[in-house]
Amino acid sequence: MTDDKSARAAELAIGLLEGRERQEALHDVTADPEMREAFRSWNERLASLCMAQPDPAQGPGAHVYTNIEAELFAPQAEAVKESFWDMLRAPENRGLVLMVLAAKVLLLTWVLYLFL
């Protein structure tokens, strides 16, 4: 399924389409099996969200606060440490490596010129 079809199905399920766009999307749902599946999937997702909401008078459950605390105060995962050679070989560092190499060659040439 393409992202475009999924996005149009989501817009239709949420109710964002109006007029001609809505009619075209409804026609696509009846004619295109991928669009129909995307529309059905989005309707199920949205229905589960609506059914999962607790009564506003009761407030959020204890699990909500637990999840928020876990997200905010969980220890951060250690960044993967790359070796020096891996960083040098990385494509995004090639320009910098070439520039440093050229500067070293020029410096070595200058030093040899001075003493020879």
Side-chain angles (χ1 to χ4, degrees):
M1 171 183 346
T2 64
D3 290 338
D4 184 47
K5 286 182 182 181
S6 180
R8 282 189 68 210
E11 289 174 345
L12 181 63
I14 293 171
L16 297 177
L17 300 179
E18 295 178 352
R20 184 173 174 89
E21 286 182 333
R22 185 174 190 281
Q23 293 302 322
E24 289 174 357
L26 286 172
H27 177 266
D28 289 345
V29 166
T30 58
D32 185 7
E34 286 184 7
M35 183 74 169
R36 185 178 9 215
E37 177 61 26
F39 182 67
R40 183 197 58 76
S41 174
W42 276 108
N43 275 328
E44 286 179 1
R45 288 183 201 172
L46 295 173
S48 68
L49 288 175
C50 292
M51 296 300 193
Q53 296 298 321
D55 182 21
Q58 293 177 352
H63 68 282
V64 174
Y65 293 116
T66 305
N67 291 343
I68 290 172
E69 286 178 354
E71 184 69 28
L72 291 176
F73 303 112
Q76 297 296 325
E78 290 293 323
V80 177
K81 294 182 180 179
E82 296 181 12
S83 71
F84 178 71
W85 298 112
D86 289 337
M87 289 189 316
L88 285 179
R89 289 184 297 184
E92 61 269 12
N93 294 334
R94 285 186 185 151
L96 179 63
V97 170
L98 289 174
M99 189 170 42
V100 168
L101 184 63
K104 285 184 176 187
V105 167
L106 288 174
L107 182 64
L108 182 62
T109 305
W110 181 66
V111 168
L112 288 176
Y113 173 76
L114 288 176
F115 294 105
L116 293 179

